[in-house]
Amino acid sequence: MRTYIADTETLDDGKEVTLQGWIQELRKIKNLMFIIVRDSTGQIQVTVKKGSITNYDELYEITRESVISVHGILNKKSVSRSGTEILATGVEILSIADTPLPLGVIDRVSADFDTRLNNRFLDLRKPEHLVIFKFESQLLFGIREYMNRENFIEVHTPKIVGAATEGGADLFRVEYFEKQAYLNQSPQLYKEILIGSGFDKVFEVGPAFRAEKENTVRHLNEFTSIDMEAAFIDDRKAMEYLERAISYAVNRTIDVMGAELERSGYHVSRLDPPFPRITYEEALGYLNDHGLKLSFGDDFSPEANKILAQKFNGFYFITGWPSAMRPFYTHPDTNPEITKSFDLQLNDIEVTSGAQRVHNYRMLEENFMKKGLNKNDFEFYEKAFKYGMPPHAGWGLGLERLVMNLLGLNNVRESTLFPRDRTRLSP
Ligand code: AMO
């Protein structure tokens, strides 16, 4: 029976245990070895006396980051730093690590980012990196739980597609037998078709692909998109689902692993919806009052977003984006220059886009024309609007950007296991 290291805390002194993990540190004094063993839950000192195990001489030559299984007695009155140790009675060597390590797991000196990513399997052994993905897992669990309680159906739509969703330029091409196909940029068109299929409320967690040549700390070429779409709701209601889903998931995650986050140096605060809202035009005015020279229709630069972040400090919505800045499927407001759309920002980074959608077939056709799109490419989508399409709204939330921002990481690659960017295709 294996004991996880974190669970030794609740066990009694003198208890017999078996631990399995990696050798993080090794100190040897002839007839005595002190091994710090690490598993996915923590670290503990294992003290091995010559004569207490049969293969002492073999273990004496072991390298850092090798994998062992330790059988021993829990000593809670140890003189070691943590006050707890395992007095080994048997050690099985399961895998020997080569030397030198391409990347130190506990070294204080930080390796450059490329070296880290090239050796991601070692980089992820750092407890403070593992915890990022434990956090992501818990967060996603919370979002799923919230969506499930609100009666959303989790769906899976194709990632190999025949038409662009978010604009033609950023597509990865795929050879699909005799046809030209693409990797999907967003489940947008499919989630809307499902609204026309009577599903009422859907959500999806899946990969999205963007052939953006951008090389920034917030762009990936493959990211995880959490998408939602619901029938008979407007943009306001979609925003409400979003702020509630995120708040529920964050607060639940703090309940589950707040202490572990703090120990790893991540400070996540509890959330209390509703989040502040500002219109695009109000934001524009505020930015111009702060020295920028923006006109209606201009996008917000990283500098502009930093100014807004200082005002809001946390999550906030920017609503009512100009029609020219939003995709063809976005519903206009009563003023046709403006859309019923929103972005959710966390500090200075956009983490979600959403909107009420066009559901009127004729308006959709007009929008294809206005945006210079060929309606024939969208026939499979448009068809679903001809035979009874309810009003609907939804959003797409970037998981890596959300995690990056909540944990205060400075690069979206830190919250991506194996990032795909302009130059990286491996590991
Ligand atoms: P949008 O293109 O704004 O909207 O994307 C939605 C969210 O996805 C994340 N995201 C990215 N994350 C990392 N790297 C990228 N290159 C990247 N691109 C986007 C962001 C962004 O806010 N169909 C609409 C959503 C909708 O209206 O439902 C869409 O895809 O967090």
Side-chain angles (χ1 to χ4, degrees):
M1 260 277 281
R2 178 182 177 196
T3 301
Y4 282 99
I5 290 171
D7 295 337
T8 58
E9 262 177 54
T10 56
L11 296 178
D12 291 337
D13 186 45
K15 177 100 174 124
E16 245 184 82
V17 291
T18 302
L19 305 175
Q20 292 171 328
W22 285 260
I23 295 182
Q24 178 164 295
E25 278 178 80
L26 203 53
R27 275 191 301 129
K28 306 188 276 194
I29 339 169
K30 212 157 189 307
N31 295 328
L32 196 60
M33 292 177 74
F34 299 105
I35 304 175
I36 304 294
V37 175
R38 180 190 68 245
D39 70 12
S40 62
T41 67
Q43 296 112 48
I44 197 166
Q45 177 175 304
V46 174
T47 306
V48 193
K49 290 194 182 112
K50 190 174 172 112
S52 67
I53 63 167
T54 51
N55 53 347
Y56 187 86
D57 293 341
E58 194 192 347
L59 187 68
Y60 203 78
E61 301 307 320
I62 196 96
T63 50
R64 282 208 292 173
E65 295 304 316
S66 294
V67 179
I68 57 175
S69 180
V70 177
H71 192 74
I73 310 292
L74 183 61
N75 173 20
K76 293 203 137 176
K77 297 174 199 105
S78 148
V79 290
S80 74
R81 218 183 317 145
S82 69
T84 303
E85 67 182 335
I86 305 292
L87 300 167
T89 53
V91 176
E92 196 184 339
I93 297 169
L94 299 174
S95 169
I96 294 177
D98 260 3
T99 53
L101 294 167
L103 184 75
V105 171
I106 53 157
D107 296 0
R108 294 278 175 268
V109 280
S110 49
D112 72 80
F113 207 15
D114 267 336
T115 308
R116 285 182 45 205
L117 291 177
N118 288 338
N119 298 283
R120 192 62 160 153
F121 67 99
L122 276 173
D123 186 51
L124 291 172
R125 284 186 200 174
K126 289 180 197 281
E128 68 273 25
H129 293 171
L130 173 60
V131 83
I132 296 170
F133 298 95
K134 286 188 187 173
F135 176 77
E136 182 189 272
S137 171
Q138 288 298 338
L139 200 65
L140 201 51
F141 185 91
I143 290 176
R144 281 205 163 96
E145 195 170 50
Y146 175 84
M147 300 307 272
N148 197 52
R149 281 192 196 160
E150 293 289 339
N151 297 315
F152 281 84
I153 303 172
E154 183 164 1
V155 297
H156 303 279
T157 63
K159 303 305 156 204
I160 303 177
V161 297
T165 313
E166 305 297 325
D170 300 331
L171 283 165
F172 284 115
R173 296 160 81 89
V174 177
E175 224 175 274
Y176 194 75
F177 308 110
E178 300 76 30
K179 289 197 181 108
Q180 178 66 63
Y182 308 96
L183 294 179
N184 208 4
Q185 297 163 305
S186 151
Q188 183 65 38
L189 307 186
Y190 289 93
K191 57 184 188 174
E192 290 195 67
I193 294 176
L194 290 174
I195 293 304
S197 312
F199 274 46
D200 223 280
K201 288 168 147 185
V202 294
F203 81 103
E204 174 164 9
V205 182
F209 305 90
R210 305 276 169 102
E212 293 164 325
K213 292 204 168 109
E214 234 126 352
N215 198 357
T216 76
V217 295
R218 61 185 193 285
H219 283 93
L220 294 164
N221 293 111
E222 176 176 357
F223 67 95
T224 306
S225 187
I226 304 172
D227 273 86
M228 144 349 218
E229 201 69 30
F232 307 105
I233 68 163
D234 62 5
D235 46 330
R236 300 281 134 180
K237 183 67 189 171
M239 288 160 70
E240 207 176 273
Y241 278 127
L242 179 61
E243 63 195 356
R244 289 187 183 177
I246 292 176
S247 301
Y248 175 79
V250 167
N251 294 345
R252 182 196 160 277
T253 303
I254 292 172
D255 291 343
V256 172
M257 59 177 293
E260 189 176 359
L261 287 168
E262 286 293 326
R263 267 202 308 279
S264 307
Y266 301 115
H267 310 293
V268 186
S269 316
R270 301 186 81 86
L271 298 172
D272 187 18
F275 301 154
R277 283 132 163 90
I278 184 173
T279 67
Y280 170 85
E281 283 191 279
E282 285 163 357
L284 208 64
Y286 181 82
L287 290 167
N288 286 341
D289 286 348
H290 285 74
L292 300 191
K293 291 194 176 66
L294 297 170
S295 355
F296 186 82
D298 285 345
D299 210 347
F300 297 159
S301 62
E303 186 198 357
N305 282 320
K306 284 210 168 68
I307 297 173
L308 291 173
Q310 274 169 6
K311 176 175 165 69
F312 290 105
N313 183 32
F315 282 101
Y316 59 98
F317 285 105
I318 305 176
T319 64
W321 290 82
S323 305
M325 297 176 77
R326 298 305 262 210
F328 67 87
Y329 51 77
T330 317
H331 203 289
D333 211 329
T334 32
N335 167 2
E337 295 296 304
I338 290 172
T339 53
K340 297 180 82 169
S341 64
F342 56 87
D343 278 0
L344 179 67
Q345 307 266 126
L346 177 46
N347 302 321
D348 61 336
I349 288 182
E350 172 207 317
V351 293
T352 313
S353 284
Q356 183 174 329
R357 324 298 189 181
V358 173
H359 66 280
N360 179 288
Y361 179 75
R362 299 220 178 288
M363 192 188 276
L364 195 61
E365 293 227 301
E366 274 167 30
N367 277 5
F368 284 136
M369 299 238 285
K370 276 191 207 152
K371 300 274 178 189
L373 296 165
N374 182 354
K375 69 172 240 183
N376 295 334
D377 291 342
F378 295 92
E379 204 218 328
F380 74 101
Y381 164 76
E382 213 189 14
K383 231 162 66 176
F385 288 70
K386 255 188 192 170
Y387 305 99
M389 172 63 87
H392 57 285
W395 39 255
L397 163 63
L399 179 62
E400 295 84 355
R401 281 198 192 171
L402 180 67
V403 170
M404 164 197 182
N405 270 299
L406 285 170
L407 296 183
L409 308 173
N410 54 26
N411 193 320
V412 72
R413 291 163 184 81
E414 297 279 4
S415 56
T416 311
L417 284 173
F418 303 106
R420 292 289 173 264
D421 63 26
R422 182 71 182 86
T423 52
R424 182 171 288 280
L425 199 49
S426 173

